[in-house]
Structure formats: structure tokens, C-alpha cells
């Protein structure tokens, strides 16, 4: 009888030790994933701060909108004012002259900081973005000017997740670069 009790106690101890080890490994894995996400976020910020749009401007409409989306996604994170200013000015390089003409740098930065204050207060982030229809671009020519439309869905995270889809209109400038002329909310149907 004592031998059976001893085996039961040893077995119970083994189960408890195994459970503690599994929990500890799970905790370490979760911490590693969080650290890895933080590292990739920092790497993305460093990349965006270093990118030179004067030299490496995207060649296609999708590339322009992707750069815009990457920068906006980072701006929705809690980053320094210095990094915010640098990224905000990089976004303006993606804009067409017509958009820049109606939106001065001072007004743009003021509006951006107002928007970001609300976004950060509500703890809203962009968890990811996806090109609609695999990033299919719809091209058009109006009065000899080339335009492109592309749709992007932003997966927003606040208290819950929701999706905002935007339609971007781009215009090809004299240097052959596709610049953002404007964007707006897009609802299918």
C-alpha cells in the first residue's frame, strides 16, 4: 500500500514539474515574440528614416502607396516627435504638386499632430494593410494626363479590429513618378 502511495506522489510531482516547465517555456516564447516584434518595428523605423525618396522614389503606383502605408503605419505607433517630423516630410515627397499646393507644410504638420494625438489617445494602431484585388491598379488618361487608382484596406486595432478601405488616386508627373493626388474612404457597393 505504501509503495502505491509513493508512486502516486512521484507521479503527481512529475505532473506539477512538467506543468511548471511548460508554462515557463510558453512565457519565454511569448516574451521572445514580443521582443522580436519590437525589434522588427525598430528596424522598420530605422529603414523609413533612412530611405531617400529623392534617389529611390518608387517606380510604380503600388510602390508609392506602399511607402505611404508603411510610413502611416509607423506614425500610428508611439514614436518620437523628431521621427514623426522626418516621416511626415517624407510622406509629403509622395504627394503630387496639386496636393502640396492646397496643403502647406505648416498646416499639414499641425493637422497630422492633431490626428496623431487622437489616434494615440484612443490607442488605435494599424496592425497591417492589404492591397485590394492583389494591388491591381486601374489606369486612366484624362486630357493627356496619366492617372492611377489603387485600393488599400487598413486593418485597424483599437478595442477591437476593424477595416478601413481607402481609394488612392495617383498622377504621373513630368519626371515619370507616380505621386499621390488624393485619397478617400471607399465603401464597396
Amino acid at each position: 500500500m505504501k509503495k502505491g502511495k509513493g508512486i502516486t506522489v512521484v507521479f503527481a510531482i512529475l505532473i506539477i514539474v512538467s506543468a511548471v516547465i511548460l508554462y515557463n517555456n510558453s512565457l519565454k516564447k511569448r516574451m521572445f515574440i514580443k521582443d522580436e516584434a519590437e525589434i522588427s518595428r525598430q528596424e522598420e523605423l530605422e529603414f523609413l528614416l533612412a530611405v531617400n525618396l529623392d534617389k529611390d522614389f518608387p517606380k510604380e503606383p503600388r510602390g508609392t502607396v506602399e511607402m505611404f502605408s508603411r510610413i502611416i503605419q509607423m506614425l500610428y505607433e508611439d514614436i518620437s516627435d523628431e521621427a514623426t517630423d522626418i516621416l511626415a516630410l517624407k510622406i509629403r515627397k509622395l504627394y503630387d504638386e496639386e496636393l502640396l499646393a492646397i496643403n502647406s507644410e505648416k498646416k499639414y504638420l499641425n493637422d497630422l499632430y492633431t490626428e496623431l494625438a487622437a489616434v494615440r489617445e484612443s490607442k488605435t494602431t494599424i496592425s497591417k494593410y492589404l492591397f485590394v484585388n492583389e494591388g491591381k491598379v486601374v489606369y486612366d488618361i484624362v486630357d493627356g494626363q496619366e492617372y492611377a487608382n489603387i485600393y488599400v484596406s487598413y486593418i485597424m486595432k483599437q478595442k477591437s479590429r476593424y477595416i478601413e478601405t481607402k481609394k488612392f488616386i495617383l498622377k504621373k508627373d513630368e519626371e515619370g513618378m507616380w505621386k499621390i493626388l488624393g485619397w478617400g474612404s471607399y465603401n464597396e457597393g
Side-chain angles (χ1 to χ4, degrees):
M1 194 78 153
K2 271 192 172 193
K3 192 174 185 182
K5 228 180 191 181
I7 291 174
T8 304
V9 169
V10 169
F11 188 66
I13 290 173
L14 282 174
I15 289 174
I16 291 170
V17 169
S18 296
V20 168
I21 290 171
L22 287 173
Y23 175 75
N24 193 24
N25 285 341
S26 169
L27 189 59
K28 283 181 185 176
K29 186 175 182 179
R30 278 186 267 151
M31 288 172 53
F32 176 75
I33 289 169
K34 184 177 180 185
D35 289 345
E36 194 173 88
E38 189 63 31
I39 289 168
S40 70
R41 180 182 158 274
Q42 184 61 34
E43 289 172 348
E44 177 73 355
L45 177 60
E46 288 170 10
F47 167 79
L48 293 171
L49 291 172
V51 73
N52 183 344
L53 291 173
D54 293 325
K55 286 175 136 180
D56 300 316
F57 197 89
K59 298 193 182 337
E60 299 295 326
R62 179 184 167 122
T64 302
V65 174
E66 179 151 14
M67 181 59 66
F68 173 90
S69 297
R70 288 173 75 174
I71 293 172
I72 286 295
Q73 185 176 28
M74 186 56 64
L75 287 171
Y76 272 53
E77 297 288 332
D78 189 17
I79 60 174
S80 71
D81 286 348
E82 180 184 359
T84 299
D85 288 345
I86 292 168
L87 294 179
L89 295 176
K90 285 185 190 263
I91 277 189
R92 286 181 59 83
K93 289 182 182 243
L94 300 171
Y95 292 169
D96 183 75
E97 290 299 322
E98 287 184 53
L99 182 56
L100 292 172
I102 61 171
N103 198 3
S104 73
E105 185 176 308
K106 183 178 179 180
K107 179 183 181 326
Y108 171 75
L109 288 173
N110 187 45
D111 291 349
L112 178 67
Y113 272 96
T114 301
E115 178 185 342
L116 292 178
V119 159
R120 290 174 181 157
E121 184 177 322
S122 68
K123 294 183 171 57
T124 302
T125 60
I126 300 173
S127 57
K128 71 169 122 174
Y129 58 90
L130 305 164
F131 285 89
V132 178
N133 296 327
E134 299 174 7
K136 182 179 176 200
V137 179
V138 178
Y139 294 94
D140 199 9
I141 298 176
V142 178
D143 296 329
Q145 178 63 58
E146 291 182 75
Y147 295 92
N149 294 313
I150 192 165
Y151 300 85
V152 180
S153 290
Y154 295 92
I155 292 103
M156 311 296 286
K157 184 178 173 194
Q158 198 174 28
K159 291 179 181 173
S160 61
R161 291 183 193 268
Y162 61 96
I163 297 174
E164 283 187 12
T165 300
K166 304 285 184 189
K167 174 185 179 181
F168 287 85
I169 302 168
L170 295 95
K171 179 175 141 184
K172 195 173 197 178
D173 70 8
E174 292 110 24
E175 297 173 17
M177 293 189 270
W178 288 98
K179 302 266 186 136
I180 297 172
L181 184 58
W183 67 89
S185 294
Y186 175 76
N187 297 320
E188 293 182 65

